[in-house]
Amino acid sequence: MIRASLFALSLLAAACAPPASDPPAEQPPAEAPGPQTREEATAQDTCGAGAYRDRIGTNVSGMDVQPGARVVGPDTMVTEDFRPDRLNILVDAQGVITGFACY
């Protein structure tokens, strides 16, 4: 009977003990931060603007643009969200391409 009582007491004590902690999960290596500004993104060509540089000076109407790209003129209102992968085609008032930027 004493053995049964000791066994029951040891089970009770084990139930009250704090749970064993799991080993910490391995964290993936931290990625290097991407570009934080329009200038950094354009310099790193994160949107593929370099492929279109030969189009500067031509009219945007004859250009095949990638999906998600946007044409930005002198009076064009654009969102302020920063997306370094978005190609922005910069044009003058006549629609002539003056440059490209990633933002």
Side-chain angles (χ1 to χ4, degrees), residues 22-103:
D22 292 331
E26 286 189 36
Q27 298 293 328
E31 292 184 25
Q36 301 298 310
T37 66
R38 169 183 175 170
E39 292 77 17
E40 290 175 4
T42 301
Q44 294 175 23
D45 197 18
T46 56
C47 64
Y52 299 101
R53 300 254 185 245
D54 62 328
R55 305 289 179 115
I56 294 176
T58 64
N59 196 292
V60 72
S61 63
M63 184 174 168
D64 234 0
V65 295
Q66 68 186 37
R70 62 183 177 182
V71 177
V72 181
D75 297 322
T76 304
M77 291 177 33
V78 296
T79 60
E80 291 294 321
D81 62 318
F82 177 64
R83 286 193 28 219
D85 61 327
R86 178 173 42 210
L87 174 65
N88 293 271
I89 305 164
L90 311 175
V91 299
D92 64 13
Q94 290 74 39
V96 176
I97 300 171
T98 59
F100 298 90
C102 304
Y103 63 93

